């Protein structure tokens, strides 16, 4: 059986062979605990971690000391938001975020509301963007933290991070961004953009699952959410996952080198897919901003079509509706609903996300497959 064409790179990416090769020795020959300070096994592991920390920092234009390894972006978001709240709640208890954030941010905010935080959830406009003016209006003197994702996982919309961070700082608050979908995909500079905290995850950039990092600007303190041996300068205890950390480092190094050519190639493929679908299939439109968005993704609404059947019939391509994290539920995507789509429109919207291993032939195939399936479904409806 032929495997479906994978067009769901925003859900997860395969590990790049070069990343895997870099990781392998650290499982077996080089198995030392990076916290063992008394022998060569530990020192060697520690050195590998230091190297990876540099690679991650370099991609963000950060200092290696500012990188805290975590189990992924979910944990990084938890550490950023809960860690700042715990540290600064004596000053104020107000947090601002956006209604279209990933659940790892929204649910963390809901958790803090139970503990006395006041959270403002900004509503983006129909293109998915929020404006600095809109944020400025929401800020109060008790605001301690603003958390706005860099690029949206469902629609790929890129927020004006630099401007949002500037407005946040004018109000004396800290700025966190969940940049999981942006890191390694577009040039990113925590210094130039004024980012105080940034979350990332390896498995969205051709590294392994279960490893990520939080960038914490020097001088900012977060209260650790995982207590124990005081690893990661006391910010996240637990024995370091050396092979995974090495993999994350390698993935960052590769992304830095290949980002420009890769994103250009994917933009062309994405544009070809998108225009072919919009042209071949009547009653389709793109969700979210067409200009401020990731180059490897398109989210398309197929109007007057049953979304669930559409997904079932498109069995030769692997795509998703909504985000994988909410796909256990049958609710329509809250992100698309927030842009003003009806339930039916949200159900009938598909996210196509391309990546490093997507080929021309796969895009040709997807275009043809989508055209056939939708034509057939519409015909079945009109004859029934
Ligand atoms: C995938 C994703 C996460 C969760 O990352 P994990 O490493 O899987 O915990 C968080 N935020 C965004 C925007 C994501 O795309």
């Amino acid at each position: 059986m032929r495997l479906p064409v994978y067009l769901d790179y925003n859900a997860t990416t395969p590990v790049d062979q070069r990343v895997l090769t870099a990781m392998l020795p650290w499982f077996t020959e080089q198995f030392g605990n990076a916290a063992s300070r008394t022998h060569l096994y530990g020192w060697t592991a520690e050195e590998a971690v230091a190297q990876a920390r540099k690679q991650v920092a370099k991609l963000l234009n950060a200092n290696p000391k500012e990188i805290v390894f975590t189990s992924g972006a979910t944990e990084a978001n938890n550490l950023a938001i809960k860690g700042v709240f715990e540290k600064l709640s004596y000053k104020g208890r107000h947090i601002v975020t956006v209604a279209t954030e990933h659940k790892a941010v929204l649910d963390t905010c809901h958790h803090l509301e139970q503990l006395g935080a006041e959270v403002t959830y900004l509503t983006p406009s129909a293109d998915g963007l929020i404006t600095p003016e809109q944020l400025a209006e929401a800020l109060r003197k008790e605001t301690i933290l603003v958390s706005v994702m860099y690029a949206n996982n469902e629609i790929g919309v890129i927020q004006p991070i630099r401007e949002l961070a500037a407005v946040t700082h004018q109000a004396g608050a800290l700025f966190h961004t969940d940049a999981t979908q942006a890191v390694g995909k577009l040039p990113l500079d925590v210094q130039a953009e004024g980012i105080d905290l940034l979350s990332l995850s390896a498995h969205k950039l051709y590294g392994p699952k279960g490893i990520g990092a939080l960038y914490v600007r020097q001088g900012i303190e977060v209260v650790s959410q995982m207590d124990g041996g005081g690893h990661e300068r006391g910010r996240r205890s637990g024995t370091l996952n050396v092979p995974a950390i090495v993999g994350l480092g390698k993935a960052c190094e590769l992304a830095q080198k290949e980002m420009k050519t890769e994103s250009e190639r994917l933009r062309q493929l994405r544009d070809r897919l998108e225009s072919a679908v919009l042209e071949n299939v009547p009653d389709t439109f793109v969700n979210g901003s067409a200009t401020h968005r990731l180059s490897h993704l398109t989210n398309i609404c197929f109007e007057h079509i049953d979304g669930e059947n559409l997904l079932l019939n498109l069995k030769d391509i692997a795509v998703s509706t909504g985000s994988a994290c909410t796909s256990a539920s049958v609710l329509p995507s809250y992100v698309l609903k927030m842009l003003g789509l009806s339930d039916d429109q949200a159900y009938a919207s598909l996210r196509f996300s391309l990546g490093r291993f997507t080929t021309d032939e796969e895009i040709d195939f997807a275009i043809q497959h989508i055209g056939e399936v939708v034509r057939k479904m519409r015909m079945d409806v009109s004859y029934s």
Side-chain angles (χ1 to χ4, degrees):
M1 199 196 79
R2 190 171 184 275
L3 279 174
V5 168
Y6 190 72
L7 293 175
D8 205 11
Y9 278 82
N10 271 35
T12 194
T13 60
V15 172
D16 190 298
Q17 267 302 331
R18 296 167 291 180
V19 169
L20 179 64
T21 304
M23 289 172 67
L24 285 176
W26 302 97
F27 286 103
T28 49
E29 305 101 76
Q30 310 280 13
F31 59 86
N33 185 330
S36 297
R37 297 283 153 79
T38 50
H39 50 66
L40 188 63
Y41 296 88
W43 302 328
T44 311
E46 226 262 294
E47 250 172 63
V49 168
Q51 161 76 5
R53 207 184 293 281
K54 269 193 214 156
Q55 289 165 316
V56 177
K58 188 153 179 257
L59 184 59
L60 308 175
N61 192 27
N63 185 305
K65 286 188 192 130
E66 299 172 312
I67 303 299
V68 181
F69 290 116
T70 64
S71 63
T74 299
E75 189 192 327
N77 286 337
N78 272 265
L79 175 57
I81 299 168
K82 291 176 180 169
V84 165
F85 181 77
E86 262 191 68
K87 188 79 200 171
L88 297 181
S89 58
Y90 74 94
K91 271 204 203 163
R93 305 181 143 249
H94 184 230
I95 296 171
V96 181
T97 187
V98 185
T100 47
E101 290 292 310
H102 192 274
K103 286 287 181 192
V105 166
L106 293 177
D107 287 348
T108 301
C109 288
H110 295 148
H111 180 107
L112 289 182
E113 283 178 301
Q114 303 300 311
L115 302 177
E118 253 197 272
V119 184
T120 301
Y121 301 91
L122 299 173
T123 306
S125 56
D127 59 6
L129 289 162
I130 60 162
T131 63
E133 295 74 33
Q134 188 184 1
L135 172 59
E137 265 175 46
L139 294 169
R140 310 176 194 160
K141 71 174 187 316
E142 312 81 52
T143 310
I144 50 171
L145 180 70
V146 171
S147 180
V148 178
M149 76 201 312
Y150 208 108
N152 186 273
N153 45 305
E154 290 191 39
I155 53 176
V157 162
I158 300 168
Q159 299 291 355
I161 294 299
R162 193 184 293 246
E163 291 78 10
L164 297 173
V167 167
T168 300
H169 291 152
Q170 275 161 23
L174 296 176
F175 187 81
H176 167 249
T177 184
D178 175 355
T180 309
Q181 296 289 354
V183 170
K185 312 296 165 59
L186 43 84
L188 203 156
D189 183 330
V190 289
Q191 319 247 14
E193 295 173 70
I195 295 164
D196 298 311
L197 302 122
L198 177 148
S199 306
L200 64 91
S201 178
H203 78 97
K204 304 286 173 71
L205 71 150
Y206 311 97
K209 293 167 184 59
I211 190 74
L214 179 67
Y215 155 79
V216 184
R217 178 183 294 284
Q218 206 146 26
I220 293 173
E221 283 182 68
V222 289
V223 173
S224 100
Q225 302 298 305
M226 198 64 82
D227 301 313
H231 306 75
E232 298 296 271
R233 297 168 180 262
R235 295 171 294 190
R236 200 277 190 181
S237 289
T239 300
L240 294 183
N241 184 348
V242 179
I245 288 170
V246 167
L248 170 58
K250 185 69 186 176
C252 288
E253 182 197 290
L254 292 172
Q256 184 146 36
K257 280 196 197 127
E258 298 173 6
M259 180 188 304
K260 200 160 177 287
T261 39
E262 184 166 289
S263 64
E264 203 34 59
R265 185 181 79 87
L266 294 178
R267 180 189 301 279
Q268 286 176 19
L269 286 182
R270 187 274 313 268
D271 287 349
R272 194 155 70 76
L273 171 68
E274 184 176 275
S275 36
V277 171
L278 295 180
E279 215 167 281
N280 299 348
V281 187
D283 300 331
T284 44
F285 61 85
V286 174
N287 290 313
S289 168
T291 47
H292 296 85
R293 64 169 167 162
L294 296 169
S295 60
H296 63 273
L297 171 147
T298 180
N299 189 313
I300 300 178
C301 177
F302 298 80
E303 286 219 87
H304 320 304
I305 279 222
D306 180 72
E308 210 174 318
N309 277 330
L310 177 60
L311 207 53
L312 280 175
N313 288 319
L314 283 174
K315 54 188 180 314
D316 293 333
I317 59 175
V319 295
S320 68
T321 51
S323 73
C325 312
T326 48
S327 64
S329 65
V330 289
L331 295 172
S333 151
Y334 64 91
V335 172
L336 297 177
K337 292 277 293 172
M338 199 49 70
L339 305 188
L341 269 69
S342 68
D343 281 6
D344 285 346
Q345 287 174 323
Y347 280 125
S349 292
L350 297 181
R351 175 184 73 183
F352 303 89
S353 47
L354 290 57
R356 186 169 289 167
F357 308 109
T358 305
T359 63
D360 273 303
E361 294 72 37
E362 287 179 327
I363 294 302
D364 291 336
F365 176 81
I367 291 170
Q368 190 200 339
H369 186 48
I370 297 161
E372 275 167 16
V373 164
V374 176
R375 252 192 310 279
K376 179 157 189 319
M377 283 180 72
R378 288 209 167 122
M379 234 191 286
D380 289 351
V381 171
S382 49
Y383 286 129
S384 63

